mmCIF file of all heavy atoms in Angstrom:
data_model
loop_
_atom_site.group_PDB
_atom_site.id
_atom_site.type_symbol
_atom_site.label_atom_id
_atom_site.label_comp_id
_atom_site.label_asym_id
_atom_site.label_seq_id
_atom_site.Cartn_x
_atom_site.Cartn_y
_atom_site.Cartn_z
ATOM 1 N N GLU A 1 92.969 92.294 83.048
ATOM 2 C CA GLU A 1 92.173 93.182 83.904
ATOM 3 C C GLU A 1 93.001 94.332 84.451
ATOM 4 O O GLU A 1 92.529 95.475 84.463
ATOM 5 C CB GLU A 1 91.557 92.361 85.057
ATOM 6 C CG GLU A 1 90.837 93.155 86.097
ATOM 7 C CD GLU A 1 89.531 93.760 85.607
ATOM 8 O OE1 GLU A 1 89.129 93.445 84.455
ATOM 9 O OE2 GLU A 1 88.938 94.558 86.330
ATOM 10 N N ARG A 2 94.202 94.011 84.900
ATOM 11 C CA ARG A 2 95.057 95.085 85.465
ATOM 12 C C ARG A 2 95.386 96.142 84.380
ATOM 13 O O ARG A 2 95.378 97.352 84.637
ATOM 14 C CB ARG A 2 96.327 94.476 86.038
ATOM 15 C CG ARG A 2 96.103 93.722 87.332
ATOM 16 C CD ARG A 2 97.403 93.322 87.989
ATOM 17 N NE ARG A 2 98.231 92.442 87.173
ATOM 18 C CZ ARG A 2 98.108 91.095 87.180
ATOM 19 N NH1 ARG A 2 97.222 90.509 87.948
ATOM 20 N NH2 ARG A 2 98.907 90.356 86.395
ATOM 21 N N ALA A 3 95.652 95.674 83.160
ATOM 22 C CA ALA A 3 95.989 96.577 82.077
ATOM 23 C C ALA A 3 94.805 97.420 81.715
ATOM 24 O O ALA A 3 94.918 98.672 81.523
ATOM 25 C CB ALA A 3 96.465 95.776 80.855
ATOM 26 N N THR A 4 93.625 96.834 81.619
ATOM 27 C CA THR A 4 92.409 97.580 81.268
ATOM 28 C C THR A 4 92.080 98.621 82.313
ATOM 29 O O THR A 4 91.759 99.761 81.982
ATOM 30 C CB THR A 4 91.228 96.619 81.100
ATOM 31 O OG1 THR A 4 91.552 95.581 80.174
ATOM 32 C CG2 THR A 4 89.987 97.370 80.581
ATOM 33 N N GLN A 5 92.199 98.256 83.577
ATOM 34 C CA GLN A 5 91.878 99.202 84.651
ATOM 35 C C GLN A 5 92.870 100.341 84.695
ATOM 36 O O GLN A 5 92.514 101.508 84.999
ATOM 37 C CB GLN A 5 91.821 98.482 85.978
ATOM 38 C CG GLN A 5 90.675 97.510 86.133
ATOM 39 C CD GLN A 5 89.319 98.228 85.991
ATOM 40 O OE1 GLN A 5 89.126 99.373 86.438
ATOM 41 N NE2 GLN A 5 88.343 97.530 85.366
ATOM 42 N N GLU A 6 94.139 100.077 84.386
ATOM 43 C CA GLU A 6 95.139 101.132 84.360
ATOM 44 C C GLU A 6 94.850 102.112 83.207
ATOM 45 O O GLU A 6 94.958 103.348 83.376
ATOM 46 C CB GLU A 6 96.545 100.556 84.194
ATOM 47 C CG GLU A 6 97.660 101.580 84.152
ATOM 48 C CD GLU A 6 97.749 102.498 85.324
ATOM 49 O OE1 GLU A 6 97.275 102.086 86.434
ATOM 50 O OE2 GLU A 6 98.308 103.626 85.238
ATOM 51 N N LEU A 7 94.425 101.572 82.075
ATOM 52 C CA LEU A 7 94.039 102.453 80.956
ATOM 53 C C LEU A 7 92.810 103.288 81.346
ATOM 54 O O LEU A 7 92.746 104.500 81.021
ATOM 55 C CB LEU A 7 93.711 101.614 79.711
ATOM 56 C CG LEU A 7 94.897 100.884 79.058
ATOM 57 C CD1 LEU A 7 94.386 100.013 77.914
ATOM 58 C CD2 LEU A 7 95.965 101.848 78.582
ATOM 59 N N ALA A 8 91.885 102.688 82.023
ATOM 60 C CA ALA A 8 90.670 103.424 82.458
ATOM 61 C C ALA A 8 91.033 104.518 83.461
ATOM 62 O O ALA A 8 90.325 105.536 83.515
ATOM 63 C CB ALA A 8 89.667 102.440 83.080
ATOM 64 N N ARG A 9 92.068 104.339 84.211
ATOM 65 C CA ARG A 9 92.501 105.362 85.155
ATOM 66 C C ARG A 9 93.134 106.558 84.413
ATOM 67 O O ARG A 9 92.991 107.686 84.833
ATOM 68 C CB ARG A 9 93.535 104.774 86.127
ATOM 69 C CG ARG A 9 93.941 105.679 87.253
ATOM 70 C CD ARG A 9 95.014 105.071 88.143
ATOM 71 N NE ARG A 9 96.295 104.924 87.428
ATOM 72 C CZ ARG A 9 97.161 105.933 87.263
ATOM 73 N NH1 ARG A 9 96.895 107.124 87.754
ATOM 74 N NH2 ARG A 9 98.299 105.727 86.623
ATOM 75 N N ARG A 10 93.804 106.273 83.291
ATOM 76 C CA ARG A 10 94.519 107.321 82.582
ATOM 77 C C ARG A 10 93.681 108.041 81.531
ATOM 78 O O ARG A 10 94.016 109.177 81.169
ATOM 79 C CB ARG A 10 95.753 106.725 81.865
ATOM 80 C CG ARG A 10 96.763 106.076 82.780
ATOM 81 C CD ARG A 10 97.972 105.593 81.977
ATOM 82 N NE ARG A 10 98.861 104.781 82.768
ATOM 83 C CZ ARG A 10 100.017 104.291 82.343
ATOM 84 N NH1 ARG A 10 100.425 104.568 81.087
ATOM 85 N NH2 ARG A 10 100.778 103.550 83.119
ATOM 86 N N TYR A 11 92.616 107.413 81.031
ATOM 87 C CA TYR A 11 91.854 107.969 79.934
ATOM 88 C C TYR A 11 90.383 108.107 80.279
ATOM 89 O O TYR A 11 89.852 107.440 81.169
ATOM 90 C CB TYR A 11 91.999 107.077 78.684
ATOM 91 C CG TYR A 11 93.347 107.200 78.013
ATOM 92 C CD1 TYR A 11 94.436 106.455 78.476
ATOM 93 C CD2 TYR A 11 93.526 108.048 76.923
ATOM 94 C CE1 TYR A 11 95.678 106.564 77.861
ATOM 95 C CE2 TYR A 11 94.760 108.144 76.321
ATOM 96 C CZ TYR A 11 95.829 107.413 76.789
ATOM 97 O OH TYR A 11 97.075 107.515 76.194
ATOM 98 N N ASP A 12 89.669 108.971 79.495
ATOM 99 C CA ASP A 12 88.238 109.135 79.679
ATOM 100 C C ASP A 12 87.451 107.908 79.183
ATOM 101 O O ASP A 12 86.452 107.542 79.781
ATOM 102 C CB ASP A 12 87.743 110.365 78.899
ATOM 103 C CG ASP A 12 88.375 111.650 79.384
ATOM 104 O OD1 ASP A 12 88.669 111.746 80.601
ATOM 105 O OD2 ASP A 12 88.565 112.569 78.544
ATOM 106 N N VAL A 13 87.940 107.346 78.085
ATOM 107 C CA VAL A 13 87.227 106.203 77.477
ATOM 108 C C VAL A 13 88.243 105.145 77.034
ATOM 109 O O VAL A 13 89.267 105.497 76.437
ATOM 110 C CB VAL A 13 86.399 106.634 76.246
ATOM 111 C CG1 VAL A 13 85.733 105.427 75.581
ATOM 112 C CG2 VAL A 13 85.350 107.656 76.628
ATOM 113 N N VAL A 14 87.974 103.886 77.337
ATOM 114 C CA VAL A 14 88.767 102.789 76.865
ATOM 115 C C VAL A 14 87.879 101.902 75.954
ATOM 116 O O VAL A 14 86.819 101.473 76.390
ATOM 117 C CB VAL A 14 89.316 101.928 78.036
ATOM 118 C CG1 VAL A 14 90.186 100.787 77.497
ATOM 119 C CG2 VAL A 14 90.080 102.784 79.032
ATOM 120 N N LEU A 15 88.352 101.663 74.738
ATOM 121 C CA LEU A 15 87.638 100.792 73.805
ATOM 122 C C LEU A 15 88.393 99.490 73.695
ATOM 123 O O LEU A 15 89.552 99.452 73.195
ATOM 124 C CB LEU A 15 87.535 101.454 72.424
ATOM 125 C CG LEU A 15 86.821 102.830 72.380
ATOM 126 C CD1 LEU A 15 86.832 103.360 70.943
ATOM 127 C CD2 LEU A 15 85.383 102.703 72.902
ATOM 128 N N VAL A 16 87.807 98.407 74.196
ATOM 129 C CA VAL A 16 88.460 97.092 74.260
ATOM 130 C C VAL A 16 87.964 96.243 73.101
ATOM 131 O O VAL A 16 86.783 95.861 73.055
ATOM 132 C CB VAL A 16 88.170 96.372 75.570
ATOM 133 C CG1 VAL A 16 88.882 95.012 75.598
ATOM 134 C CG2 VAL A 16 88.613 97.245 76.777
ATOM 135 N N GLU A 17 88.834 96.001 72.140
ATOM 136 C CA GLU A 17 88.443 95.208 70.979
ATOM 137 C C GLU A 17 88.582 93.720 71.270
ATOM 138 O O GLU A 17 89.653 93.248 71.721
ATOM 139 C CB GLU A 17 89.260 95.569 69.730
ATOM 140 C CG GLU A 17 88.852 94.772 68.520
ATOM 141 C CD GLU A 17 89.727 94.966 67.314
ATOM 142 O OE1 GLU A 17 90.490 95.969 67.282
ATOM 143 O OE2 GLU A 17 89.684 94.093 66.392
ATOM 144 N N GLY A 18 87.532 92.945 71.007
ATOM 145 C CA GLY A 18 87.584 91.521 71.207
ATOM 146 C C GLY A 18 88.245 90.813 70.031
ATOM 147 O O GLY A 18 88.703 91.415 69.090
ATOM 148 N N ALA A 19 88.243 89.462 70.129
ATOM 149 C CA ALA A 19 88.772 88.611 69.083
ATOM 150 C C ALA A 19 87.619 87.845 68.469
ATOM 151 O O ALA A 19 87.020 86.997 69.164
ATOM 152 C CB ALA A 19 89.859 87.684 69.638
ATOM 153 N N GLY A 20 87.298 88.091 67.213
ATOM 154 C CA GLY A 20 86.197 87.397 66.579
ATOM 155 C C GLY A 20 84.838 87.856 67.106
ATOM 156 O O GLY A 20 84.705 88.993 67.567
ATOM 157 N N GLY A 21 83.854 86.985 67.062
ATOM 158 C CA GLY A 21 82.512 87.337 67.473
ATOM 159 C C GLY A 21 82.226 87.061 68.941
ATOM 160 O O GLY A 21 83.125 86.658 69.695
ATOM 161 N N LEU A 22 80.966 87.278 69.319
ATOM 162 C CA LEU A 22 80.572 87.162 70.724
ATOM 163 C C LEU A 22 80.786 85.799 71.334
ATOM 164 O O LEU A 22 81.133 85.659 72.485
ATOM 165 C CB LEU A 22 79.081 87.540 70.878
ATOM 166 C CG LEU A 22 78.723 89.005 70.767
ATOM 167 C CD1 LEU A 22 77.211 89.135 70.778
ATOM 168 C CD2 LEU A 22 79.339 89.796 71.950
ATOM 169 N N MET A 23 80.566 84.726 70.537
ATOM 170 C CA MET A 23 80.595 83.402 71.084
ATOM 171 C C MET A 23 81.964 82.711 70.948
ATOM 172 O O MET A 23 82.082 81.503 71.155
ATOM 173 C CB MET A 23 79.520 82.548 70.436
ATOM 174 C CG MET A 23 78.106 83.123 70.546
ATOM 175 S SD MET A 23 77.576 83.356 72.259
ATOM 176 C CE MET A 23 77.081 81.700 72.660
ATOM 177 N N VAL A 24 82.987 83.441 70.566
ATOM 178 C CA VAL A 24 84.320 82.873 70.430
ATOM 179 C C VAL A 24 84.798 82.405 71.806
ATOM 180 O O VAL A 24 84.760 83.172 72.761
ATOM 181 C CB VAL A 24 85.277 83.886 69.820
ATOM 182 C CG1 VAL A 24 86.721 83.470 70.017
ATOM 183 C CG2 VAL A 24 84.987 84.079 68.356
ATOM 184 N N PRO A 25 85.299 81.149 71.902
ATOM 185 C CA PRO A 25 85.764 80.661 73.219
ATOM 186 C C PRO A 25 87.139 81.241 73.592
ATOM 187 O O PRO A 25 88.044 81.309 72.771
ATOM 188 C CB PRO A 25 85.858 79.159 73.015
ATOM 189 C CG PRO A 25 85.990 78.957 71.540
ATOM 190 C CD PRO A 25 85.276 80.089 70.881
ATOM 191 N N LEU A 26 87.198 81.656 74.863
ATOM 192 C CA LEU A 26 88.508 82.115 75.431
ATOM 193 C C LEU A 26 89.192 80.938 76.090
ATOM 194 O O LEU A 26 90.432 80.848 76.103
ATOM 195 C CB LEU A 26 88.259 83.246 76.404
ATOM 196 C CG LEU A 26 87.517 84.465 75.846
ATOM 197 C CD1 LEU A 26 87.317 85.514 76.917
ATOM 198 C CD2 LEU A 26 88.216 85.048 74.626
ATOM 199 N N THR A 27 88.403 80.065 76.716
ATOM 200 C CA THR A 27 88.885 78.765 77.242
ATOM 201 C C THR A 27 87.860 77.748 76.768
ATOM 202 O O THR A 27 86.872 78.068 76.110
ATOM 203 C CB THR A 27 89.003 78.755 78.756
ATOM 204 O OG1 THR A 27 87.673 78.801 79.339
ATOM 205 C CG2 THR A 27 89.792 79.974 79.289
ATOM 206 N N ASP A 28 88.057 76.506 77.170
ATOM 207 C CA ASP A 28 87.118 75.481 76.770
ATOM 208 C C ASP A 28 85.702 75.683 77.288
ATOM 209 O O ASP A 28 84.753 75.188 76.690
ATOM 210 C CB ASP A 28 87.633 74.072 77.193
ATOM 211 C CG ASP A 28 88.816 73.621 76.363
ATOM 212 O OD1 ASP A 28 89.046 74.193 75.277
ATOM 213 O OD2 ASP A 28 89.538 72.698 76.798
ATOM 214 N N ASP A 29 85.568 76.414 78.395
ATOM 215 C CA ASP A 29 84.246 76.602 78.979
ATOM 216 C C ASP A 29 83.952 78.061 79.315
ATOM 217 O O ASP A 29 83.120 78.323 80.170
ATOM 218 C CB ASP A 29 84.068 75.709 80.226
ATOM 219 C CG ASP A 29 85.159 75.920 81.248
ATOM 220 O OD1 ASP A 29 85.998 76.846 81.032
ATOM 221 O OD2 ASP A 29 85.194 75.206 82.245
ATOM 222 N N TYR A 30 84.594 78.983 78.628
ATOM 223 C CA TYR A 30 84.431 80.410 78.929
ATOM 224 C C TYR A 30 84.469 81.163 77.607
ATOM 225 O O TYR A 30 85.493 81.194 76.915
ATOM 226 C CB TYR A 30 85.544 80.866 79.871
ATOM 227 C CG TYR A 30 85.416 82.233 80.446
ATOM 228 C CD1 TYR A 30 84.295 82.649 81.150
ATOM 229 C CD2 TYR A 30 86.491 83.153 80.345
ATOM 230 C CE1 TYR A 30 84.186 83.899 81.722
ATOM 231 C CE2 TYR A 30 86.411 84.412 80.907
ATOM 232 C CZ TYR A 30 85.277 84.795 81.583
ATOM 233 O OH TYR A 30 85.195 86.044 82.151
ATOM 234 N N LEU A 31 83.337 81.804 77.270
ATOM 235 C CA LEU A 31 83.191 82.498 75.984
ATOM 236 C C LEU A 31 83.443 83.977 76.121
ATOM 237 O O LEU A 31 83.365 84.540 77.217
ATOM 238 C CB LEU A 31 81.801 82.245 75.403
ATOM 239 C CG LEU A 31 81.313 80.807 75.288
ATOM 240 C CD1 LEU A 31 79.879 80.779 74.804
ATOM 241 C CD2 LEU A 31 82.206 79.986 74.383
ATOM 242 N N THR A 32 83.679 84.640 74.995
ATOM 243 C CA THR A 32 83.855 86.081 75.011
ATOM 244 C C THR A 32 82.625 86.753 75.624
ATOM 245 O O THR A 32 82.767 87.713 76.400
ATOM 246 C CB THR A 32 84.075 86.605 73.587
ATOM 247 O OG1 THR A 32 85.282 86.066 73.040
ATOM 248 C CG2 THR A 32 84.187 88.130 73.537
ATOM 249 N N ILE A 33 81.435 86.302 75.288
ATOM 250 C CA ILE A 33 80.214 86.937 75.812
ATOM 251 C C ILE A 33 80.123 86.742 77.311
ATOM 252 O O ILE A 33 79.586 87.624 78.003
ATOM 253 C CB ILE A 33 78.968 86.359 75.088
ATOM 254 C CG1 ILE A 33 77.773 87.278 75.355
ATOM 255 C CG2 ILE A 33 78.696 84.920 75.473
ATOM 256 C CD1 ILE A 33 76.556 86.958 74.517
ATOM 257 N N ASP A 34 80.681 85.650 77.855
ATOM 258 C CA ASP A 34 80.716 85.438 79.295
ATOM 259 C C ASP A 34 81.623 86.513 79.952
ATOM 260 O O ASP A 34 81.311 87.031 81.010
ATOM 261 C CB ASP A 34 81.249 84.065 79.654
ATOM 262 C CG ASP A 34 80.389 82.951 79.117
ATOM 263 O OD1 ASP A 34 79.144 83.129 79.065
ATOM 264 O OD2 ASP A 34 80.939 81.869 78.717
ATOM 265 N N TYR A 35 82.748 86.796 79.287
ATOM 266 C CA TYR A 35 83.702 87.783 79.779
ATOM 267 C C TYR A 35 83.018 89.163 79.857
ATOM 268 O O TYR A 35 83.137 89.899 80.843
ATOM 269 C CB TYR A 35 84.919 87.829 78.891
ATOM 270 C CG TYR A 35 86.005 88.776 79.325
ATOM 271 C CD1 TYR A 35 86.973 88.372 80.254
ATOM 272 C CD2 TYR A 35 86.076 90.057 78.792
ATOM 273 C CE1 TYR A 35 87.977 89.235 80.655
ATOM 274 C CE2 TYR A 35 87.125 90.929 79.180
ATOM 275 C CZ TYR A 35 88.032 90.519 80.105
ATOM 276 O OH TYR A 35 89.038 91.391 80.497
ATOM 277 N N ILE A 36 82.316 89.544 78.789
ATOM 278 C CA ILE A 36 81.641 90.836 78.731
ATOM 279 C C ILE A 36 80.613 90.948 79.829
ATOM 280 O O ILE A 36 80.496 91.961 80.504
ATOM 281 C CB ILE A 36 80.999 91.047 77.338
ATOM 282 C CG1 ILE A 36 82.029 90.999 76.221
ATOM 283 C CG2 ILE A 36 80.235 92.386 77.303
ATOM 284 C CD1 ILE A 36 81.423 90.872 74.837
ATOM 285 N N ALA A 37 79.819 89.880 79.976
ATOM 286 C CA ALA A 37 78.747 89.893 80.996
ATOM 287 C C ALA A 37 79.346 89.959 82.411
ATOM 288 O O ALA A 37 78.841 90.666 83.275
ATOM 289 C CB ALA A 37 77.894 88.646 80.831
ATOM 290 N N GLU A 38 80.446 89.233 82.626
ATOM 291 C CA GLU A 38 81.083 89.242 83.935
ATOM 292 C C GLU A 38 81.604 90.612 84.321
ATOM 293 O O GLU A 38 81.441 91.057 85.446
ATOM 294 C CB GLU A 38 82.213 88.210 83.956
ATOM 295 C CG GLU A 38 82.989 88.121 85.267
ATOM 296 C CD GLU A 38 84.144 87.162 85.163
ATOM 297 O OE1 GLU A 38 83.895 85.955 84.907
ATOM 298 O OE2 GLU A 38 85.293 87.605 85.343
ATOM 299 N N LYS A 39 82.238 91.274 83.343
ATOM 300 C CA LYS A 39 82.813 92.588 83.598
ATOM 301 C C LYS A 39 81.751 93.686 83.551
ATOM 302 O O LYS A 39 82.017 94.807 83.994
ATOM 303 C CB LYS A 39 83.900 92.887 82.564
ATOM 304 C CG LYS A 39 85.056 91.916 82.540
ATOM 305 C CD LYS A 39 85.758 91.876 83.876
ATOM 306 C CE LYS A 39 86.926 90.879 83.831
ATOM 307 N NZ LYS A 39 87.558 90.708 85.178
ATOM 308 N N GLN A 40 80.592 93.377 83.043
ATOM 309 C CA GLN A 40 79.466 94.353 82.913
ATOM 310 C C GLN A 40 79.881 95.559 82.047
ATOM 311 O O GLN A 40 79.523 96.697 82.313
ATOM 312 C CB GLN A 40 78.982 94.802 84.288
ATOM 313 C CG GLN A 40 78.431 93.668 85.105
ATOM 314 C CD GLN A 40 77.837 94.131 86.436
ATOM 315 O OE1 GLN A 40 78.255 95.144 87.003
ATOM 316 N NE2 GLN A 40 76.853 93.398 86.922
ATOM 317 N N TYR A 41 80.646 95.259 80.992
ATOM 318 C CA TYR A 41 81.045 96.307 80.068
ATOM 319 C C TYR A 41 79.875 96.638 79.106
ATOM 320 O O TYR A 41 79.262 95.714 78.580
ATOM 321 C CB TYR A 41 82.256 95.884 79.231
ATOM 322 C CG TYR A 41 83.560 95.711 79.956
ATOM 323 C CD1 TYR A 41 84.496 94.809 79.500
ATOM 324 C CD2 TYR A 41 83.861 96.495 81.079
ATOM 325 C CE1 TYR A 41 85.692 94.664 80.165
ATOM 326 C CE2 TYR A 41 85.049 96.334 81.732
ATOM 327 C CZ TYR A 41 85.982 95.415 81.288
ATOM 328 O OH TYR A 41 87.173 95.272 81.961
#
């Protein structure tokens, strides 16, 4: 989060590439799609 926000401060647009598809798990109970929804990207 800190890295992404710092990039957003320096640039007009930040393109954050995920790993795999939307439903790929980041932890046992937290999916990539949950991360996107939480950040409201």
Side-chain angles (χ1 to χ4, degrees):
E1 173 70 7
R2 290 190 297 273
T4 306
Q5 292 300 324
E6 179 59 23
L7 293 176
R9 187 184 68 81
R10 299 184 189 184
Y11 286 84
D12 298 328
V13 177
V14 181
L15 302 179
V16 180
E17 182 187 342
L22 285 173
M23 304 301 281
V24 165
L26 305 179
T27 70
D28 287 344
D29 54 5
Y30 189 54
L31 308 176
T32 298
I33 196 170
D34 298 326
Y35 183 86
I36 301 167
E38 178 184 300
K39 301 300 181 185
Q40 298 184 333
Y41 292 151

